[in-house]
Amino acid sequence: GLMERHRMKAISQSLRAGLTFPVGRLHRMMRENLLHGKRVSGTGAVYLAAVLEFMCTEILEIAGEQATRHNQKRISPRHLMLSIRGDQELDEFIKATIATGGIMPHSSKSGKGWFGEGEGAADKKKGKKGKDETKKSKPSVSKGKKSKDSKEKKEKKAKK
């Protein structure tokens, strides 16, 4: 009879779309949060789920690289912040402050640091030396000349 018919197993909207993010839940939330009971298409929820999933995988991939670069197995808020601020497009898109994320290290064009672009602490030390070098620039140059002069004298002695 009617009760003996085999019912097909339900396939989730996320599985149909090939996504990990919950399409059905996002669709329900979109319907609930719209004013005046406006309608929401099913494809709109699929699109939103796909965009959110892509953004999360992008951020987590870069944050995972940051964690491995620092010899850590666990992604911390610091790694998330470094990954978002290190990527130009993500930095423009995400303007939020990340709790316990810290601050960005000072980067320059030379050397390799947190991002493989610039060394933070070394550049700060160079900056301090740069201020002091204006006062001590003459002795450091003369020391260099002395060492060259002493090398030339040694070469002359070796020839004799």
Side-chain angles (χ1 to χ4, degrees):
L2 295 171
M3 301 298 279
E4 294 176 10
R5 286 187 186 166
H6 294 286
R7 184 178 158 142
M8 288 181 63
K9 192 173 180 182
I11 300 170
S12 70
Q13 290 177 307
S14 297
L15 195 63
R16 285 181 191 166
L19 297 171
T20 307
F21 269 56
V23 174
R25 183 179 297 172
L26 288 170
H27 191 201
R28 187 194 74 228
M29 291 174 153
M30 288 169 72
R31 277 186 278 126
E32 287 173 357
N33 293 318
L34 280 176
L35 296 172
H36 309 299
K38 295 203 175 183
R39 296 165 60 167
V40 177
S41 71
T43 54
V46 172
Y47 195 93
L48 177 63
V51 169
L52 290 173
E53 187 171 318
F54 171 76
M55 294 297 292
C56 287
T57 53
E58 192 74 17
I59 291 168
L60 288 172
E61 182 182 341
I62 302 170
E65 291 170 6
Q66 286 290 335
T68 52
R69 195 172 287 145
H70 295 106
N71 297 326
Q72 294 179 353
K73 293 181 179 178
R74 190 174 294 167
I75 295 173
S76 69
R78 174 79 177 152
H79 300 133
L80 289 170
M81 194 276 301
L82 289 172
S83 63
I84 291 168
R85 300 295 167 243
D87 188 89
Q88 184 180 2
E89 291 175 345
L90 286 175
D91 189 30
E92 290 173 11
F93 186 71
I94 300 171
K95 295 291 183 189
T97 302
I98 298 168
T100 68
I103 59 167
M104 285 294 293
H106 175 74
S107 62
S108 74
K109 294 175 185 175
S110 63
K112 289 212 169 194
W114 286 85
F115 300 107
E117 295 172 1
E119 186 72 39
D123 289 340
K124 289 179 183 174
K125 289 178 185 175
K126 287 178 188 174
K128 288 180 183 176
K129 285 181 184 176
K131 291 175 185 174
D132 295 340
E133 280 180 329
T134 55
K135 297 174 187 174
K136 299 179 183 180
S137 61
K138 292 177 184 176
S140 64
V141 172
S142 63
K143 285 180 185 176
K145 287 182 180 178
K146 286 179 184 176
S147 63
K148 288 178 185 176
D149 292 338
S150 61
K151 285 179 186 177
E152 289 173 4
K153 289 178 184 177
K154 287 179 185 177
E155 287 174 10
K156 287 180 183 177
K157 287 181 183 178
K159 286 179 183 177
K160 290 179 182 180

